[in-house]
Amino acid sequence: MQSPAPGRHAPPRDQAARSRWLGTALIGGAALAVLLGAIRLIADGTALFPGAEQGWALAVLTGIIVGHLVALGRDRWWGGSGSGAALTLAMLLLYGWVPAALVSLAVVTLVGTVRRHRRPQALLHGAADITGIGAAALVLALWGGHPSVARPWLPAGWDAAAIPALLCTALVYLGVTRALLWLCFAPPGGGRPPGPYRAALLRQGSVGVALLGIAPLIVVVAVHKPVLVPLFAVPLIALDSTLWIARVRAEEQLLDPLTGLPNRRWLLDRTRVALAEAERTGSRCALVLIDLDRFRWVNDTLGHLAGDRLLLRIADRLQRALPGDAETARLGGDEFAVLLPTVASATSAQRAAREILASFAAPLELDGMPLVVEASAGVAVYPEHATEPEGLLRRADVAMYTAKRNRAGAEVYEPSRDINTPGRLGLLGDLRRALDTGRITLHYQPKVGFDGRVAGLEALLRWEHPVRGRVPPDQFIELAETSGLMPRLTEYVLETALGQVARWREAGITVPVAVNVSPRDVHTPGFAGAVAARLARHGVPAGSLQLEITEHVMLEDPQQAADTLAGLTGHGVRMSLDDFGTGYSSLSHLRRLPVSELKIDRSFVARLARNAEDAEIVRCTVDLAHSLGLVVVAEGVEDDQTWERLRDLGCDAVQGWLVSPAMPAAETTAWLRARRTDAAHDGPPPLSGATAAPPARRAGP
């Protein structure tokens, strides 16, 4: 369903009431003025309209212009018709305001008769035009001009002093009519007109001046050669068409060509008006950014034409779900925005966003296939989050991506999650430079079995910032994931870790190393082949590399993730499922993922010795993993009681500060050598003096 053009949007209640009051007053005043003027002329015995050759010539020109307006076939914009204005002004200058008003009335009547659905708008245009004629007649009277059919203002009496009168009369007529029409048909929210409309207003003004400049020429020709008056239809219609083109281009600049909804440019202009009103009244307004989840699947499966039809259905549903005076726009692709001009708080704005998302719950049928459309929304509120439209939109975008990552539906903007703050952007630049200069290092944390054998090492990133000191890994890894730097960071980790594994193997130390990879890496086409090529280049067997993934890899694009993981295991790379128990559907993912190891998240391990529920969760997890043939590793082991409890529950290996913190490569090498690494064994080497007792806590950070 096509939405109305931005300039014709339904106004808020107060503006609608103002427009109705103004329209009623205009129509009533114009009708009364024409009636009284006609009665006075009839009482004086004066004709209402010129007769003879001049009258017929002007009537024919009027008929041609009416035919042009009807044939144009478009709804009249708030600027009205320039050709009709030129003819009306010519009548005013030559025969006075009553004949001019009758010409305007004839145009309105005839056009309204043919296009019945536009009669109310036609009446408003006519009333504004007649009011403008009256204002121009008053200006002309101030210059001593009182033309009528009986006493026309003939060009023979014009001199240099008549030029200011002609100019002022034309400008007042143009200004009053356009101002009244703007008040009646202005876009909602008041304030200054949107950017494209301001440009169109200037174009319309210049075209209007050109059209009104023709009016005195019509007067001259009507007096001396009336038979030529109908020929003015050619330049009038040509210039009038230019005005219509300006209107159409202005609307096209503000509309999305597919859905007919307003576009980003309109949204920013409209938001600017809403912010100004909120500042004036001391209220709040909000911007909601909506992005469809997995819309790419529709395009890939059913084709882009089906995707376009789905967007049309969604746009229609979105419009019907809008609360109160809210307005919507399509920003491009599968992104939509909703402007809430007045909200009580961020919570109420979030509630409105969730109600809009709830309207998507009912399935949509497309090509006989029922589709359930899901979406994520981000909310930003003025003045808490931003004070200008661009900032509000940017922060709503940040909140939307947070909602998409967390699968939370609708999220309100939080500065702590925004990487686009100056401090975080500066940190991102420092991270890029640290990668370029090799200041990002890898530390290695051992995984140790209860029989005393080293089960492997996990490569962990460390960054010592020259000013900030040690930056927490969670902080700069999140920066990399949200900025597009993650593939480069993963490439750096793999290159560094495999190079170190190769050096250890040359030294007779054969211990497997685990590297964390992000969902973005797994969803990158060709990732499995790139890993295999890197293994071959370093001369490292695939069994010496283990990749740690999380359940999130299956959430966005399960097929791509499955293909990548199958490729990696096909090359011989082992997979480990990290942070088990913190995802959304762990058991279903565990069944689908080709992993050989499961790591219990530290949040369960930390309370294991004190919390019976956590202990039961760990026990069930160990039993489940063993039934599937998986090795179980517990993370975050820091005390003897937890070690003993995990051993009793049947866990296979542990990792944590009780064994050792993450160490630089040189220190890890010394740690491994001290445990009498078995050079002939291409698997977990034993600890020297292996025992089932927990190792002593290692000193150090």
Side-chain angles (χ1 to χ4, degrees):
M1 183 180 81
Q2 291 280 326
S3 84
R8 299 193 298 273
H9 256 262
R13 295 184 185 89
D14 56 345
Q15 183 174 325
R18 184 198 69 187
S19 297
R20 285 195 298 271
W21 178 87
L22 179 60
T24 302
L26 268 179
I27 293 172
L32 182 62
V34 172
L35 180 62
L36 293 177
I39 292 173
R40 186 177 66 82
L41 290 180
I42 293 172
D44 292 342
T46 304
L48 298 179
F49 199 80
E53 199 173 0
Q54 286 92 347
W56 283 107
L58 291 168
V60 169
L61 180 58
T62 301
I64 295 174
I65 290 173
V66 169
H68 156 65
L69 294 176
V70 172
L72 200 59
R74 297 190 181 116
D75 292 338
R76 295 179 70 185
W77 191 33
W78 61 267
S81 165
S83 56
L87 178 58
T88 301
L89 182 61
M91 292 296 297
L92 171 64
L93 295 175
L94 186 56
Y95 296 117
W97 74 271
V98 174
L102 291 176
V103 168
S104 180
L105 197 59
V107 172
V108 169
T109 302
L110 292 172
V111 174
T113 300
V114 176
R115 299 163 67 194
R116 297 179 181 179
H117 68 291
R118 300 299 291 175
R119 280 181 182 172
Q121 289 83 353
L123 282 174
L124 276 175
H125 275 276
D129 202 46
I130 291 171
T131 305
I133 291 169
L138 291 175
V139 172
L140 189 59
L142 291 176
W143 291 89
H146 300 277
S148 66
V149 174
R151 295 180 297 277
W153 189 25
L154 299 175
W158 296 357
D159 53 20
I163 295 177
L166 292 171
L167 184 61
C168 289
T169 301
L171 291 178
V172 167
Y173 169 64
L174 179 66
V176 170
T177 53
R178 268 43 181 185
L180 289 174
L181 289 169
W182 172 258
L183 289 174
C184 291
F185 298 103
R192 59 179 179 166
Y197 281 101
R198 292 195 297 272
L201 179 61
L202 294 175
R203 288 196 298 269
Q204 238 195 10
S206 61
V207 173
V209 170
L211 286 165
L212 296 177
I214 297 177
L217 300 179
I218 297 176
V219 173
V220 172
V221 175
V223 171
H224 296 289
K225 273 293 183 185
V227 71
L228 299 179
V229 166
L231 296 179
F232 277 100
V234 176
L236 288 177
I237 291 174
L239 285 172
D240 204 17
S241 297
T242 303
L243 186 147
W244 282 107
I245 290 171
R247 172 257 185 174
V248 171
R249 286 180 177 174
E251 286 192 357
E252 287 176 348
Q253 291 176 17
L254 298 174
L255 287 177
D256 170 54
L258 174 63
T259 63
L261 290 176
N263 60 16
R264 180 186 296 267
R265 188 172 182 180
W266 178 90
L267 176 72
L268 291 175
D269 274 315
R270 180 65 190 91
T271 304
R272 190 170 291 110
V273 174
L275 294 183
E277 180 66 16
E279 182 181 14
R280 185 183 67 82
T281 59
S283 59
R284 292 181 174 87
C285 69
L287 203 57
V288 180
L289 191 65
I290 300 172
D291 187 86
L292 305 182
D293 295 336
R294 297 176 293 279
F295 178 74
R296 189 181 68 182
W297 295 2
V298 177
N299 283 337
D300 292 346
T301 305
L302 302 179
H304 288 275
L305 290 178
D308 288 347
R309 293 201 305 276
L310 180 60
L311 287 174
L312 285 168
R313 302 279 298 278
I314 290 170
D316 178 49
R317 182 172 286 188
L318 181 59
Q319 284 182 288
R320 287 188 278 112
L322 291 180
D325 56 355
E327 298 166 281
T328 187
R330 182 191 178 210
L331 305 186
D334 58 348
E335 263 192 347
F336 297 85
V338 174
L339 174 65
L340 303 172
T342 305
V343 295
S345 64
T347 302
S348 64
Q350 185 181 30
R351 185 165 53 248
R354 286 175 174 163
E355 290 173 357
I356 293 172
L357 294 182
S359 69
F360 293 169
L364 285 169
E365 188 167 310
L366 192 67
D367 295 337
M369 180 184 301
L371 297 177
V372 177
V373 178
E374 296 180 348
S376 301
V379 180
V381 179
Y382 167 90
E384 287 93 329
H385 302 144
T387 56
E388 77 285 345
E390 292 81 1
L392 209 60
L393 184 60
R394 187 166 57 248
R395 282 157 177 77
D397 188 59
V398 171
M400 183 272 293
Y401 277 106
T402 300
K404 193 175 285 286
R405 283 196 304 271
N406 298 338
R407 300 181 65 83
E411 288 274 11
V412 177
Y413 172 78
E414 290 186 16
S416 61
R417 297 174 176 174
D418 189 355
I419 68 167
N420 297 318
T421 58
R424 288 171 69 88
L425 285 176
L427 190 63
L428 178 60
D430 293 342
L431 178 59
R432 293 181 187 275
R433 285 188 290 273
L435 282 172
D436 291 336
T437 57
R439 291 188 177 179
I440 301 289
T441 60
L442 281 188
H443 287 201
Y444 301 87
Q445 187 172 38
K447 295 184 286 185
V448 177
F450 290 95
D451 60 357
R453 297 173 65 87
V454 178
L457 302 169
E458 181 180 358
L460 298 171
L461 284 164
R462 295 293 182 264
W463 179 21
E464 195 72 30
H465 192 279
V467 176
R468 302 171 184 257
R470 176 166 292 186
V471 181
D474 290 347
Q475 185 176 347
F476 68 80
I477 289 174
E478 181 190 7
L479 271 176
E481 287 180 336
T482 54
S483 66
L485 198 59
M486 196 65 207
R488 186 180 169 193
L489 190 61
T490 301
E491 181 180 314
Y492 173 83
V493 173
L494 282 170
E495 185 69 22
T496 305
L498 290 177
Q500 184 60 55
V501 171
R503 287 190 290 274
W504 277 333
R505 290 179 65 83
E506 290 175 359
I509 300 174
T510 54
V511 58
V513 173
V515 171
N516 290 275
V517 293
S518 74
R520 178 174 294 188
D521 298 320
V522 176
H523 293 141
T524 301
F527 178 70
V531 171
R534 207 174 292 277
L535 285 165
R537 187 169 66 252
H538 286 282
V540 174
S544 294
L545 176 65
Q546 186 176 52
L547 297 182
E548 294 193 2
I549 60 174
T550 65
E551 302 159 73
H552 293 83
V553 300
M554 303 301 291
L555 295 180
E556 182 178 340
D557 192 340
Q559 188 57 53
Q560 177 64 51
D563 292 345
T564 300
L565 296 178
L568 288 166
T569 54
H571 288 300
V573 177
R574 293 186 297 165
M575 309 299 298
S576 173
L577 183 61
D578 199 10
D579 300 335
F580 183 79
T582 62
Y584 297 97
S585 52
S586 301
L587 296 181
S588 65
H589 291 155
L590 183 60
R591 184 166 48 86
R592 298 165 62 189
L593 292 171
V595 297
S596 59
E597 178 184 276
L598 185 149
K599 300 185 74 173
I600 302 175
D601 187 70
R602 66 182 64 247
S603 61
F604 297 107
V605 174
R607 301 186 300 267
L608 178 65
R610 303 183 302 275
N611 189 300
E613 290 182 359
D614 284 353
E616 184 62 20
I617 290 173
V618 172
R619 185 191 65 77
C620 292
T621 301
V622 171
D623 291 345
L624 173 65
H626 286 168
S627 70
L628 296 174
L630 304 180
V631 173
V632 182
V633 178
E635 296 182 293
V637 178
E638 299 185 0
D639 56 69
D640 296 346
Q641 293 84 358
T642 303
W643 168 286
E644 297 289 353
R645 193 77 179 94
L646 286 167
R647 183 181 59 182
D648 294 342
L649 291 173
C651 188
D652 298 302
V654 297
Q655 179 181 346
W657 281 39
L658 182 65
V659 177
S660 172
M663 302 171 286
E667 193 173 337
T668 304
T669 302
W671 189 91
L672 291 170
R673 287 188 185 281
R675 277 138 185 87
R676 195 165 43 83
T677 302
D678 184 0
H681 181 62
D682 196 21
L687 284 163
S688 59
T691 173
R697 181 185 297 271
R698 183 185 184 278

